[in-house]
């Protein structure tokens, strides 16, 4: 198997995006291809996809943004899920690397064409025609209309053969950087291919029912009466059969439900909060878990977040839910700057991590991270844990959470913590959840619940479709 890395092309910064709205109708595929290509280009130069899409949207007229948002988003996410394959194809089908935007339009068009036409949203003819139209709408790219037409038609002529050949290239076949795929294989030798495949399919849309306002049973009836198919997958979790925009989800704007993966919902449940407790949510933005904690009990909650812009999102979310917390901007690793000296009964440490468990929702993450980020994250997680532990009251609990599937950030961290904090007793916790409900026990390289401590892993059923998470719980003696 040969190995190639996806090309990092020079592309304009997301903020520099310019649009040829004069020549492309905002509801056309050509417009969506042009805009998605700009967003993909920004990811290649280091911008996270949501920020890249926001910059692209912000630079177009409001009416165009409203009508094209869904199509642009769908195309950009689809392209990043298939970036390994489409970059390999461009490398094979083009003699000399094309200018960045031309290459990115080709990538987005190929991401549509690699689907069998019988299951595709557009005919092959439409994709080729609209890609050529999009290229022609930009004066600086117009020279490449013939190239784009020829490349896409050459691909279509031998589509099956090209896709088969792509299987011989590790990055093209997996759609992950090599270091990432190998890290998953090392960690989960029996399940790595299924874990990687799960990360290439879009996840379900899961809602959390606000326990102060409704119940899962009641909310399922509301959905049913609105003709929306869904099922219950947890005490507060409802999974929609087909994802919907939030403005079409009954009760969303009134705070009856929030969008939250079923795996993430375990945090507030396992924190076991009761009325009157003092609780610290130490890495809180955008406030998904903060909201859930406050839905479950009347607690005195400090929601700490180091990024001021992200901290504002906690307030927005709590306002929609009609709940209140003391939202504080500060570094969890330096409590002296923000802590009032009162111990906490519960601390949720949902620390910054690789996000390797949530790649199906964030397909850009794998292309943005570097292998060297992992040891740096491990060091940062330890710094945060060391700083937070003294804030836990005797008998109080700390819940360590990551949305990672790399053991260095998960079980290995929990073991390090237990071995370096004599007054920490390990309690039952879900342990490692692999994405899409795959059994974590598939890995011999990490043995959870060895019997050397009180911890047992208690996971939701394997049929429950959730993102990848890790949970460890410690009580202070
Ligand atoms: C995994 S996210 C938290 C998600 C959140 N708990 C939720 O459920 O919506 C981690 C958050 O920690 C913040 N963060 C990173 N380093 C931090 C630090 N040293 N102190 C406080 N917050 C930090 C990040 O900005 C990010 O918003």
């Amino acid at each position: 198997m040969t190995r190639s890395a996806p090309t990092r092309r020079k592309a304009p910064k997301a903020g520099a995006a310019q649009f040829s709205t004069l020549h492309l109708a905002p509801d056309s595929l050509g417009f969506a291809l042009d805009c998605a290509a700009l967003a993909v280009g920004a990811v290649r130069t280091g911008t996270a996809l949501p920020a890249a899409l926001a910059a692209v949207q912000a630079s177009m007229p409001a009416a165009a943004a409203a009508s094209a948002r869904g199509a642009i988003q769908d195309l950009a996410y689809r392209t990043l899920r298939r970036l390994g394959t489409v970059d390999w194809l461009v490398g094979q089908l083009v003699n000399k690397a094309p200018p960045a935007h031309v290459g990115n339009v080709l990538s987005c068009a190929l991401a549509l064409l690699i689907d069998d036409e019988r299951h595709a949203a557009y005919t092959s003819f439409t994709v080729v025609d609209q890609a050529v139209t999009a290229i022609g709408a930009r004066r600086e790219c117009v020279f490449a209309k013939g190239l784009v037409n020829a490349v896409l038609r050459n691909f279509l002529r031998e589509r099956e053969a090209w896709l088969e050949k792509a299987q011989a290239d590790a990055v093209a076949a997996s759609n992950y950087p090599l270091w990432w795929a190998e890290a998953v294989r090392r960690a989960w030798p029996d399940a790595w291919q299924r874990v990687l495949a799960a990360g290439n399919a879009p996840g379900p849309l899961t809602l959390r029912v606000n326990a102060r306002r409704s119940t899962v049973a009641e909310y399922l009836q509301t959905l049913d009466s609105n003709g929306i198919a869904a099922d219950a997958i947890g005490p507060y979790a409802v999974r929609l059969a087909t994802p919907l925009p939030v403005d079409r989800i009954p009760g969303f704007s009134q705070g009856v439900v929030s969008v939250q993966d079923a795996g993430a919902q375990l945090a507030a449940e396992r924190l076991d909060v009761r009325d009157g407790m003092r609780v610290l949510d130490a890495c809180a933005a955008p406030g998904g878990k903060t909201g859930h904690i406050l839905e479950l009990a009347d607690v005195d909650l400090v929601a700490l977040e180091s990024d001021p812009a992200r901290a504002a999102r906690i307030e927005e979310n709590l306002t929609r839910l009609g709940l209140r917390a003391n939202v504080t901007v500060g570094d969890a690793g330096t409590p002296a700057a923000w802590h009032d000296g009162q111990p906490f009964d519960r601390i949720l440490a949902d620390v910054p991590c690789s996000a390797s468990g949530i790649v199906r929702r964030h397909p850009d993450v794998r292309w943005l991270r570097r292998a060297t980020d992992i040891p740096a994250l491990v060091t940062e997680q330890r710094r945060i844990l060391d700083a937070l532990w003294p804030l836990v009251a005797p008998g109080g609990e700390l819940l360590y959470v990551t949305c990672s599937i790399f053991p260095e950030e998960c079980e290995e961290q929990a073991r390090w913590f237990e071995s370096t904090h004599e007054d920490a007793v390990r309690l039952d916790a879900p342990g490692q959840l692999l994405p899409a409900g795959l059994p974590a026990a598939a890995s011999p390289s990490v043995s959870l619940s060895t019997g050397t401590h009180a911890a047992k892993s208690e996971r939701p059923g394997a049929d429950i479709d959730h993102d990848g998470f890790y949970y460890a719980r410690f009580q202070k003696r």
Side-chain angles (χ1 to χ4, degrees):
M1 194 176 259
T2 61
R3 294 164 171 188
S4 71
T7 334
R8 282 175 76 79
R9 303 191 190 108
K10 282 209 167 125
K13 289 232 177 287
Q18 296 292 325
F19 293 89
S20 311
T21 47
L22 286 178
H23 303 293
L24 294 170
D27 60 353
S28 68
L29 176 60
F31 186 76
L33 281 166
D34 184 74
C35 298
L38 288 168
V40 169
V43 171
R44 288 188 195 277
T45 55
T47 305
L49 182 56
L53 285 169
V56 167
Q57 297 275 337
S59 65
M60 67 177 77
S67 75
R69 178 175 292 121
I72 299 168
Q73 191 167 312
D74 180 67
L75 205 41
Y77 273 80
R78 178 188 292 262
T79 304
L80 287 165
R81 285 195 180 99
R82 297 163 179 200
L83 199 65
T85 311
V86 297
D87 275 353
W88 183 85
L89 287 170
V90 172
Q92 299 292 311
L93 291 158
V94 178
N95 290 334
K96 186 169 156 257
H101 187 67
V102 174
N104 289 324
V105 169
L106 275 173
S107 297
C108 293
L110 285 165
L112 286 171
L113 292 175
I114 59 183
D115 273 342
D116 189 313
E117 198 172 23
R118 282 166 300 178
H119 312 296
Y122 307 95
T123 64
S124 302
F125 172 81
T126 305
V127 176
V128 178
D129 173 67
Q130 290 295 295
V132 172
T133 304
I135 287 296
R138 286 181 173 275
R139 203 181 308 147
E140 72 277 18
C141 297
V142 75
F143 74 92
K145 279 174 72 173
L147 171 82
V148 167
N149 187 43
V151 165
L152 297 179
R153 286 185 190 282
N154 283 348
F155 168 68
L156 286 169
R157 253 193 300 279
E158 291 180 84
R159 184 178 160 281
E160 298 306 324
W162 281 118
L163 292 178
E164 205 181 304
K165 263 195 198 170
Q167 294 305 308
D169 180 281
V171 177
S174 71
N175 284 302
Y176 289 86
L178 204 56
W179 73 267
W180 184 296
E182 290 195 338
V184 176
R185 186 166 58 84
R186 262 197 316 278
W188 308 104
D190 295 338
W192 67 285
Q193 283 151 317
R194 282 178 294 148
V195 170
L196 293 178
N200 283 337
L205 196 139
T206 305
L207 301 173
R208 181 188 79 232
V209 178
N210 182 347
R212 291 183 185 266
R213 311 283 292 277
S214 188
T215 61
V216 163
E218 207 175 83
Y219 189 69
L220 282 173
Q221 280 177 5
T222 305
L223 289 176
D224 190 46
S225 60
N226 283 274
I228 300 171
D231 57 341
I233 58 166
Y236 309 98
V238 166
R239 175 179 51 189
L240 299 191
T242 310
L244 283 177
V246 290
D247 56 9
R248 291 180 44 205
I249 295 176
F252 178 83
S253 56
Q254 296 81 30
V256 178
V257 285
S258 299
V259 174
Q260 190 177 45
D261 180 75
Q265 295 188 28
L266 298 179
E269 289 171 36
R270 294 305 190 276
L271 210 53
D272 188 25
V273 283
R274 276 160 269 148
D275 289 355
M277 281 184 168
R278 256 178 73 79
V279 179
L280 171 66
D281 185 354
C283 299
K289 300 183 185 75
T290 317
H292 196 190
I293 293 166
L294 291 166
E295 286 167 8
L296 297 185
D298 292 325
V299 296
D300 179 4
L301 193 147
V302 177
L304 184 76
E305 166 61 42
S306 59
D307 179 336
R310 286 177 62 81
R313 295 189 53 203
I314 306 174
E315 299 277 19
E316 281 165 28
N317 270 319
L318 294 184
T319 303
R320 184 180 58 83
L321 294 168
L323 298 166
R324 280 177 53 84
N326 174 2
V327 177
T328 303
V329 175
D331 168 21
T334 52
W338 49 266
H339 183 226
D340 64 5
Q342 298 292 310
F344 292 100
D345 303 299
R346 296 285 185 272
I347 294 184
L348 172 62
D350 187 13
V351 294
C353 72
S354 61
S356 49
I358 55 172
V359 290
R360 60 184 186 169
R361 302 191 194 278
H362 301 280
D364 53 329
V365 164
R366 69 193 83 176
W367 307 116
L368 292 166
R369 289 254 177 259
R370 298 288 169 260
T372 49
D373 293 343
I374 308 304
L377 284 162
V378 167
T379 303
E380 177 63 357
Q381 291 155 0
R382 291 184 179 190
R383 184 183 75 91
I384 291 174
L385 282 174
D386 270 337
L388 292 178
W389 185 243
L391 278 50
V392 180
E397 294 174 19
L398 181 147
L399 184 64
Y400 175 73
V401 183
T402 68
C403 51
S404 171
I405 54 164
F406 295 147
E408 299 93 315
E409 303 178 280
C410 301
E411 180 60 18
E412 288 177 22
Q413 285 295 56
R415 290 183 183 183
W416 161 82
F417 185 79
E418 197 182 12
S419 68
T420 53
H421 296 79
E422 278 185 352
D423 54 350
V425 180
R426 198 157 172 196
L427 303 177
D428 289 1
Q432 185 74 62
L433 308 182
L434 289 181
L438 294 169
S443 169
S445 69
V446 178
S447 90
L448 301 174
S449 314
T450 55
T452 55
H453 47 57
K456 277 199 306 208
S457 84
E458 19 134 332
R459 302 185 190 90
D463 57 330
I464 293 193
D465 190 355
H466 50 67
D467 289 341
F469 278 96
Y470 177 79
Y471 285 92
R473 202 157 61 104
F474 302 94
Q475 185 174 44
K476 189 174 269 187
R477 278 186 223 280

